[in-house]
């Protein structure tokens, strides 16, 4: 009988697995891709889309052709449950499917519980496709407004980039525009070099973006800050980071205190050898690893190799990040802040590097024939 291999989630890491399956046959296997949407968005280009530098089609990857080339059955549904012991996956369609080998790259869920009182004024960045649609609808509904007020909740790289990208958009469309960034001070670009934080703060100030170092709670008409201030807001973009999907808690998988899947350097669950995981739902037990899309992309080929190794009994590879990581933070105006170890700079040339990297990544999966896949 054929062994069933399921990829749960259409995240960045699984793009590399699909490309691997397309380039090299997987005899004796039945391959599935379960994803909440047929299209996956390359999140690194989202701030550029907000600023008007990209069309939606520039950052959306159609998983249908990729799955077909990989010989994988495409199932569009949400994962709602996992029984690791029984090796079954439960879907939002009501279907329960068994597997011999499972890889999880579903991504996390944005924690917006403290902002929920904002109702329709709250736009979560996850899932990206839904955010893009809701942001466009928001701009259309307010097209005749003379004044607009936007806030971004979250001080990570995504929050900073989205604030700068949104600033370009709203100042172009509205006569009077106000934009704010709200985040705890210790959460502002944590994990980045001090010079990156300094340059980012200078850029936000130069662009007239007010930075509020505080916790925020959603309220009718705006945000109530932990320092006692109230910000009247028309729209809040939630980029507050992610939490593990709730269904992981009942899966039986070994997880850390935060509910993230515990994996080794080979990306395999430390408790269930038939399950692998990548992206921002994992916790490496062998080392500390910041949660970044860079690692999901880089881990993809290792994940592909180890799924093959698990089927054949071959030795598994390890994902060991480089000691220094190249970070490029878009500033919304076709410039970027670049950091590589202690080197930090900003300029149009850095944006051109980021733009090339991002476009190349998407083209690998939107034009697979051109790229030898």
């Amino acid at each position: 009988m054929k062994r069933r291999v399921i990829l749960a989630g259409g995240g960045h890491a699984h793009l590399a697995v699909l490309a691997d399956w397309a380039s090299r046959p997987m005899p004796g296997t039945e391959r599935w891709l379960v994803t909440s949407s047929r299209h996956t968005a390359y999140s690194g280009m989202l701030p550029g889309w907000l600023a008007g530098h990209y069309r939606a089609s520039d950052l959306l990857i159609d998983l249908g052709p990729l799955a077909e080339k990989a010989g994988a059955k495409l199932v569009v549904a949400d994962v709602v449950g996992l029984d690791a012991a029984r090796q079954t996956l439960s879907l939002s369609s009501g279907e329960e499917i068994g597997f011999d080998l499972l890889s999880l790259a579903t991504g996390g869920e944005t924690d917006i519980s403290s902002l929920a009182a904002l109702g329709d004024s709250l736009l979560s960045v996850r899932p990206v496709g839904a955010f893009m649609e809701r942001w466009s609808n928001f701009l259309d509904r307010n097209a005749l407004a003379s004044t607009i007020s936007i806030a971004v909740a979250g001080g990570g790289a995504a929050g900073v980039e989205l604030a700068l990208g949104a600033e370009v958009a709203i100042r172009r469309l509205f006569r009077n525009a106000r934009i704010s960034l709200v985040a705890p001070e210790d959460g502002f670009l944590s994990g980045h070099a001090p010079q990156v934080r300094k340059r980012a703060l200078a850029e936000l100030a130069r662009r007239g973006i007010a930075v509020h170092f505080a916790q925020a709670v959603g309220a009718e008409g705006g945000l109530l800050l932990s320092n006692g201030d109230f910000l009247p807001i028309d729209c809040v973009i939630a980029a507050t980071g992610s939490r593990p999907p709730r269904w992981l808690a009942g899966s039986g998988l070994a997880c850390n205190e935060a509910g993230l899947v515990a994996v080794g350097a080979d990306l395999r669950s430390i408790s269930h050898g038939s399950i692998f995981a990548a992206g921002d739902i994992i916790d490496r037990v062998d080392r500390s690893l910041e949660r970044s899309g860079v690692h999901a992309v880089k881990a993809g080929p290792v994940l592909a190799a180890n799924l093959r190794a698990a089927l054949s009994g071959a030795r598994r590879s390890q994902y060991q990040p480089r000691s220094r990581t190249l970070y490029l933070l878009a500033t919304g105006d076709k410039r970027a802040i670049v950091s590589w170890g202690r080197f930090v700079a900003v300029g149009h040339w850095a944006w051109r590097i980021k733009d090339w990297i991002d476009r190349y990544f998407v083209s690998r999966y939107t034009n697979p024939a051109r790229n030898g896949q």
Side-chain angles (χ1 to χ4, degrees):
M1 294 181 62
K2 291 186 176 180
R3 302 171 74 182
R4 180 178 293 168
V5 184
I6 297 179
L7 304 182
H12 299 345
H14 280 168
L15 294 175
V17 178
L18 290 170
D20 176 71
W21 289 357
S23 64
R24 293 189 294 161
M26 292 266 287
T29 62
E30 175 188 326
R31 298 172 299 286
W32 291 42
L33 170 63
V34 177
T35 174
S36 57
S37 173
R38 179 185 168 110
H39 293 85
T40 188
Y42 182 55
S43 56
M45 297 172 75
L46 182 62
W49 173 82
L50 274 181
H53 305 320
Y54 300 121
R55 299 166 299 174
S57 58
D58 291 331
L59 59 152
L60 292 176
I61 299 170
D62 188 346
L63 297 171
L66 288 175
E68 183 178 359
K69 287 181 177 294
K73 177 180 178 180
L74 177 63
V75 178
V76 179
D78 293 320
V79 174
V80 297
L82 166 65
D83 189 323
R86 292 178 54 229
Q87 295 188 189
T88 59
L89 202 63
S90 299
L91 309 182
S92 57
S93 61
E95 189 176 8
E96 184 179 83
I97 51 178
F99 59 84
D100 295 289
L101 198 60
L102 172 67
S103 178
L104 298 171
T106 57
E109 302 171 346
T110 303
D111 186 0
I112 56 175
S113 55
S114 63
L115 303 172
L118 291 163
D120 292 339
S121 298
L122 177 61
L123 305 185
S124 172
V125 295
R126 293 171 182 258
V128 173
F131 167 78
M132 293 169 70
E133 181 178 358
R134 294 191 64 199
W135 172 257
S136 298
N137 291 340
F138 168 77
L139 294 181
D140 289 343
R141 287 196 311 271
N142 292 275
L144 300 180
S146 59
T147 302
I148 202 79
S149 180
I150 307 291
V152 176
V160 172
E161 286 188 306
L162 289 168
L164 291 164
E167 186 270 342
V168 173
I170 65 171
R171 296 207 191 281
R172 182 176 63 243
L173 297 172
F174 301 98
R175 183 179 306 169
N176 298 304
R178 185 175 74 247
I179 185 162
S180 305
L181 177 70
V182 182
E185 188 167 9
D186 60 0
F188 182 77
L189 292 178
S190 61
H192 288 265
Q195 278 299 314
V196 173
R197 295 194 291 272
K198 182 178 179 180
R199 286 182 179 266
L201 284 171
E203 187 65 28
L204 290 163
R206 185 181 73 83
R207 302 274 286 280
I209 299 173
V211 178
H212 301 270
F213 287 132
Q215 299 282 356
V217 176
E220 185 176 352
L223 294 173
L224 181 62
L225 306 186
S226 55
N227 60 14
D229 291 342
F230 180 79
L231 290 182
I233 296 296
D234 297 301
C235 171
V236 174
I237 298 173
T240 50
S242 67
R243 63 185 179 193
R246 290 183 175 87
W247 49 263
L248 272 176
S251 67
L253 283 175
C255 297
N256 71 358
E257 292 181 356
L260 299 168
V261 180
V263 301
D266 57 1
L267 306 177
R268 188 171 71 158
S269 163
I270 63 170
S271 60
H272 293 78
S274 61
I275 299 176
F276 290 76
D280 58 5
I281 64 168
I282 68 166
D283 175 51
R284 286 277 294 268
V285 298
D286 61 311
R287 59 170 296 162
S288 176
L289 191 66
E290 66 269 23
R291 298 167 73 185
S292 166
V294 171
H295 295 304
V297 171
K298 297 294 186 183
V302 175
L303 180 61
N306 286 346
L307 289 173
R308 287 185 179 273
L311 292 169
S312 66
R315 184 177 180 180
R316 294 184 299 278
S317 302
Q318 295 189 345
Y319 172 56
Q320 298 294 358
R322 296 173 180 173
S323 58
R324 292 183 295 177
T325 300
L326 176 68
Y327 289 107
L328 291 153
L329 273 66
T331 59
D333 55 356
K334 292 194 173 182
R335 294 183 305 127
I337 301 170
V338 58
S339 63
W340 172 256
R342 295 183 178 179
F343 173 76
V344 179
V346 61
H348 291 287
W349 62 271
W351 157 262
R352 288 193 290 271
I353 293 173
K354 175 175 169 54
D355 179 58
W356 184 88
I357 292 172
D358 291 347
R359 288 184 184 274
Y360 175 74
F361 179 85
V362 173
S363 74
R364 289 175 59 194
Y365 302 107
T366 52
N367 300 292
R370 190 180 73 187
N371 292 281
Q373 295 175 15

